[in-house]
Amino acid sequence: MTPAPTELASSMCPALVELIQADDAPIDRIEIGPWFTVDAIQELHQQLPDWKFHLHDGDLHNTFGSPATVIEQMQAQHAVTDSPFVSLHITLMFRGMVRIRKFGVPFPRLSNDMMTQRLIRRVEQVKQAFDKPVILENMPGFPKFTVEADPKRIRSICDATDCDLLLDLGHARCAADNLDVEIHDYLSALPLHRIQQIHAHGPRIGRWDKLEDMHEPMQAIDYDLLQWVLERCRPQIVTLEYWKDKSAIREQLYRLRDMIDSITSQSLGGAIYV
């Protein structure tokens, strides 16, 4: 059976709304973040009634406090979106700890294996609360904390939870740089057969002369990597995670639309995806 065409999405922002209202946004759906309240989501539906919205849950599962309270918040948000899955970060440290560690400040933490088991428990709690798939997003790590970015650990967490992958290509480029691994080798070590969604954006060189997750416009290497991945899998959604400049959003969306449509036509002609 031929898989359904991959949908193109873009992160919600005022510039995207302007493009949509000008009928100049070649997308299928809009991605919103966990900071959108239920009321805010309902207002978006009223403003853009003909559009599908899906939620990227991000770090919600990793917050302090009662998991039940967090899950109730997630369920309320999903009830007013058209999200095909719950999407969570593969975040091992508590919220706020990564920011502290990034700047070299010592901070007590659990062992890597204990943090992994804590994440797996949180993911299982989310899975039990929803009747839709849960997918997990790879994180970039940074030079002083690469464990989250280790492709073997990412694969083991996906296997332990039986969750598919949200491949963030910008994060993957940062991770490969932090681990001093060639990017295609890094991607090949991930469970590509599990990819259900892709986040596309461009990292840039930052502190320590390493790539950082800055969500800048995509460059030639980012498009080449996306093409490479799309030749090996068929995600349900590709999302442009860029929101800073309207003309840059427009340019990237049209280029991504052409790429996805080309891949789709090739698959209909008999290409094989693995």
Side-chain angles (χ1 to χ4, degrees), residues 119-182:
L119 171 66
I120 290 172
R121 288 195 299 272
R122 283 293 179 109
V123 171
E124 291 294 347
Q125 289 172 328
V126 173
K127 286 181 65 177
Q128 292 173 12
F130 285 88
D131 59 358
K132 63 178 69 175
V134 175
I135 61 175
L136 304 179
E137 179 181 354
N138 58 297
M139 299 302 286
F142 50 91
K144 296 180 182 297
F145 185 70
T146 59
V147 61
E148 289 180 345
D150 181 351
K152 292 181 180 179
R153 191 172 294 266
I154 292 170
R155 183 183 288 270
S156 70
I157 289 171
C158 288
D159 289 345
T161 57
D162 193 24
C163 288
D164 285 335
L165 184 66
L166 193 172
L167 174 63
D168 189 301
L169 278 172
H171 290 178
R173 285 190 62 201
C174 295
D177 194 29
N178 288 328
L179 291 164
D180 294 319
V181 176
E182 197 277 327

Side-chain angles (χ1 to χ4, degrees), residues 39-244:
D39 289 343
I41 296 170
Q42 291 174 328
E43 289 177 7
L44 288 175
H45 280 299
Q46 293 175 359
Q47 183 181 12
L48 302 169
D50 299 326
W51 289 85
K52 294 184 290 186
F53 292 86
H54 70 269
L55 180 70
H56 176 41
D57 305 270
D59 281 342
L60 281 180
H61 63 299
N62 202 44
T63 55
F64 287 105
S66 166
T69 300
V70 174
I71 287 174
E72 287 177 3
Q73 174 187 340
M74 294 169 63
Q75 289 173 325
Q77 290 169 310
H78 276 267
V80 291
T81 64
D82 185 52
S83 303
F85 26 62
V86 180
S87 57
L88 306 173
H89 288 164
I90 298 179
T91 307
L92 300 186
M93 302 183 87
F94 293 110
R95 178 175 288 183
M97 291 174 68
V98 171
R99 181 174 298 176
I100 294 172
R101 295 278 296 182
K102 183 183 294 186
F103 293 98
V105 178
F107 196 89
R109 61 180 176 87
L110 304 174
S111 70
N112 293 337
D113 287 342
M114 291 179 69
M115 288 191 296
T116 298
Q117 291 305 313
R118 176 188 176 276
L119 171 66
I120 290 172
R121 288 195 299 272
R122 283 293 179 109
V123 171
E124 291 294 347
Q125 289 172 328
V126 173
K127 286 181 65 177
Q128 292 173 12
F130 285 88
D131 59 358
K132 63 178 69 175
V134 175
I135 61 175
L136 304 179
E137 179 181 354
N138 58 297
M139 299 302 286
F142 50 91
K144 296 180 182 297
F145 185 70
T146 59
V147 61
E148 289 180 345
D150 181 351
K152 292 181 180 179
R153 191 172 294 266
I154 292 170
R155 183 183 288 270
S156 70
I157 289 171
C158 288
D159 289 345
T161 57
D162 193 24
C163 288
D164 285 335
L165 184 66
L166 193 172
L167 174 63
D168 189 301
L169 278 172
H171 290 178
R173 285 190 62 201
C174 295
D177 194 29
N178 288 328
L179 291 164
D180 294 319
V181 176
E182 197 277 327
I183 181 58
H184 294 90
D185 292 340
Y186 181 83
L187 290 171
S188 296
L190 295 173
L192 298 181
H193 65 286
R194 286 188 175 272
I195 295 174
Q196 295 297 329
Q197 183 180 2
I198 295 175
H199 281 167
H201 54 92
R204 295 291 188 271
I205 294 293
R207 289 177 290 269
W208 305 298
D209 292 324
K210 291 287 189 179
L211 286 173
E212 282 196 40
D213 179 29
M214 296 184 181
H215 290 263
E216 293 295 336
M218 297 175 68
Q219 299 176 314
I221 185 174
D222 302 301
Y223 290 106
D224 289 346
L225 288 173
L226 177 58
Q227 178 78 29
W228 187 90
V229 172
L230 289 176
E231 290 171 352
R232 289 159 175 78
C233 71
R234 172 57 68 81
Q236 294 185 47
I237 303 171
V238 173
T239 301
L240 175 65
E241 281 204 320
Y242 173 80
W243 47 80
K244 300 176 184 179

